[in-house]
Amino acid sequence: MHELAPELKKIVAQVDQEITPRLAQIDEQVLYNQAKVLKAFQDQHVAESDLTGSTGYGHNDEGRQKLDAIYAQVFKTEAALVRSQFVSGTHTLAVALAGNLHYGDHLTYLTGEPYDTMQEVIGIAGNQKGSLREAGVSFSYVPLTPSGEVDDVQAEIVLKRDHPKIIVIQRSRGYATRPSFTVAKIQRMITLIKKVSPESLIFIDNCYGEFSECHEPTEYGADFMAGSLIKNAGGGIAKTGGYIVGRKDLVENAAYRLTAAGIGDSEGASLANNHEFYQGFFEAPEVTGNAIKGAIYSAALLQKMGLKVSPTWDEPRTDLIQTIIFNDRQNMIKFTQQIQANSPVDSFVEPIPSKMPGYEDEIIMAAGSFVQGATMEFSADGPLRPPYALYMQGGLTYAHVKLAITQAVQATFFADKE
Ligand SMILES: *Cc1c(COP(=O)(O)O)cnc(C)c1O
């Protein structure tokens, strides 16, 4: 740790004072969500024996079944499928969609272009092998308005033209410069869909969203939803996995797709994962709160440095992502390298821009995490294309994010004053 420049010390003190009431609001939200999760654990009678996993086929894995029930209760859905056999968020979303789409069906994204990796799943990027498009599913999306909101007029035109079987709402911004969509905004989108295209199923890409507000999109009429366990829902403890929640028949279809017809959710050894999945979900409200507090601090400090950030420190939040616009390739690289240097793992490694499977542009990534690529842990990444937007997310503890960001700001903006 470098001693802070006196000027920066003063700015940090101002930021601390400014954001205190906002951090207190996050604490209230954590309390609410923690109570919800605790109640689900109690209602489902979680016992010590549920924490040990099954092997082989994984038949009669009571721990796994209760965990499904806990997720269903917390997200207020009929069913849930929480599995270590999901290799990533992308895989989980792909299974949820593919399990419920057949040859000749149409899929529409209401929230503009899909997240980078989902474009390959759909078959509008990459070589299309294994994509929905290859399987005969057609696709369209509703372009967002210039300010990044859902375009109601366009939406009505597209939905009435395409009759989608499934309409996707992507809550988090991903690598886009649009705002993330709060649950209140999603609620309005769902109302619009029910009016214009009532036959369509509504699916939510909830990656990064869990516990970042008091309520989830499934409480307002979404039919099914999915996310990753190495983001919020795993609480920084789960080492792999994903979840799908929603209507019973839709979750079941996804389960047949994940395993095989005739098997569905009845097999899948949980091995040593139950313990981590339970503990991770239990801690997820708090860890999500820590990450959001870290993002609020980061936004406030970088705003003081004169950078454009989104959301601003005092705007409502619905996910973990903090965008920082550098408008400068070198500063973006330097700042990201500093985040890596201030990580608990691989702090000595220097990240450099490079190509990643599933992503079209060069990416720089700071990820000194305990779980590879876990963005529940403090990490930063972004494609090296104008406006040089860095997407920061996660943080197991508020103190770590605060230390790392302050050091990165010092090295990037005060280096010559040390
Ligand atoms: C992270 C993310 C995904 C994909 O998750 P991976 O685990 O990286 O495959 C999909 N959609 C959104 C909005 C995300 O943030």
Side-chain angles (χ1 to χ4, degrees):
M1 294 286 127
H2 294 277
E3 180 67 28
L4 291 189
E7 206 184 323
L8 179 55
K9 244 186 201 162
K10 259 189 249 161
I11 296 171
V12 167
Q14 279 170 14
V15 165
D16 281 339
Q17 201 183 18
E18 199 167 61
I19 66 176
T20 298
R22 186 77 185 99
L23 300 191
Q25 288 172 350
I26 303 301
D27 286 335
E28 283 302 307
Q29 184 176 295
V30 169
L31 202 61
Y32 181 91
N33 285 322
Q34 186 69 73
K36 189 159 62 170
V37 172
L38 178 60
K39 181 161 194 310
F41 273 58
Q42 294 163 342
D43 289 351
Q44 301 305 328
H45 290 191
V46 174
E48 193 182 347
S49 56
D50 294 322
L51 306 180
T52 56
S54 59
T55 57
Y57 293 110
H59 285 142
N60 309 314
D61 185 331
E62 216 180 310
R64 190 191 66 210
Q65 288 161 2
K66 275 191 201 173
L67 188 65
D68 286 348
I70 287 169
Y71 267 67
Q73 179 170 339
V74 167
F75 291 106
K76 301 190 167 56
T77 57
E78 287 174 6
L81 185 70
V82 187
R83 290 296 182 280
S84 61
Q85 287 82 10
F86 289 121
V87 304
S88 66
T90 303
H91 179 219
T92 314
L93 297 162
V95 167
L97 292 173
N100 287 286
L101 289 166
H102 302 110
Y103 188 89
D105 285 341
H106 189 87
L107 172 72
T108 297
Y109 261 63
L110 184 67
T111 46
E113 283 189 57
Y115 185 78
D116 296 48
T117 58
M118 292 310 292
Q119 298 192 11
E120 303 208 26
V121 168
I122 293 161
I124 52 171
N127 66 10
Q128 294 183 30
K129 280 189 187 164
S131 68
L132 292 171
R133 186 159 159 187
E134 191 189 54
V137 175
S138 54
F139 172 76
S140 61
Y141 70 91
V142 183
L144 298 172
T145 65
S147 60
E149 299 296 333
V150 166
D151 188 332
D152 287 12
V153 177
Q154 276 302 312
E156 187 158 349
I157 295 168
V158 172
L159 299 187
K160 285 191 168 154
R161 179 194 69 200
D162 294 341
H163 303 288
K165 164 96 182 284
I166 296 177
I167 297 171
V168 182
I169 295 171
Q170 183 187 308
R171 179 173 177 179
S172 184
R173 62 188 62 193
Y175 289 134
T177 44
R178 71 157 168 92
S180 298
F181 296 121
T182 60
V183 175
K185 280 185 185 174
I186 291 174
Q187 197 180 351
R188 263 182 274 127
M189 294 175 206
I190 292 173
T191 307
L192 174 80
I193 294 170
K194 302 254 186 216
K195 191 179 90 194
V196 178
S197 187
E199 312 283 273
S200 301
L201 296 168
I202 301 171
F203 177 70
I204 312 284
D205 173 351
N206 203 37
C207 283
Y208 288 129
E210 305 86 2
F211 304 122
S212 63
E213 296 192 47
C214 288
H215 300 279
E216 299 289 341
T218 37
E219 295 172 49
Y220 303 100
D223 295 291
F224 62 140
M225 178 166 93
S228 164
L229 297 198
I230 60 168
K231 293 180 179 172
N232 312 19
I237 289 177
K239 294 196 178 66
T240 187
Y243 75 88
I244 300 173
V245 293
R247 237 169 63 186
K248 194 170 186 305
D249 57 325
L250 305 177
V251 174
E252 199 177 315
N253 291 339
Y256 289 130
R257 174 75 196 201
L258 173 65
T259 61
I263 299 174
D265 69 356
S266 68
E267 289 182 6
S270 53
L271 304 175
N273 293 302
N274 278 351
H275 191 283
E276 289 169 2
F277 286 8
Y278 273 101
Q279 191 180 339
F281 197 56
F282 181 69
E283 295 188 19
E286 171 96 29
V287 180
T288 300
N290 291 343
I292 290 176
K293 287 188 202 171
I296 291 168
Y297 175 82
S298 307
L301 183 56
L302 286 154
Q303 279 176 261
K304 291 246 190 279
M305 294 297 113
L307 296 195
K308 197 168 165 253
V309 303
S310 171
T312 56
W313 73 268
D314 54 350
E315 275 178 317
R317 285 171 188 265
T318 191
D319 64 9
L320 305 187
I321 300 188
Q322 180 62 52
T323 310
I324 302 166
I325 309 285
F326 282 91
N327 274 321
D328 181 305
R329 184 181 161 100
Q330 274 330 104
N331 272 0
M332 174 168 165
I333 293 172
K334 182 157 193 198
F335 191 89
T336 310
Q337 288 174 339
Q338 279 302 311
I339 289 178
Q340 182 77 37
N342 286 284
S343 298
V345 180
D346 289 339
S347 60
F348 52 87
V349 171
E350 186 166 88
I352 48 164
S354 57
K355 295 290 286 177
M356 277 254 307
Y359 296 87
E360 291 278 288
D361 291 282
E362 257 191 336
I363 300 233
I364 186 159
M365 197 171 259
S369 54
F370 295 96
V371 173
Q372 186 193 85
T375 43
M376 181 73 254
E377 301 183 48
F378 187 46
S379 51
D381 45 281
L384 283 150
R385 63 185 180 219
Y388 298 101
L390 184 68
Y391 299 84
M392 290 195 321
Q393 61 270 314
L396 298 177
T397 73
Y398 174 53
H400 172 225
V401 180
K402 187 173 178 182
L403 285 172
I405 285 291
T406 312
Q407 290 292 324
V409 164
Q410 160 128 322
T412 311
F413 301 103
F414 292 84
D416 50 344
K417 297 177 190 164
E418 264 174 36

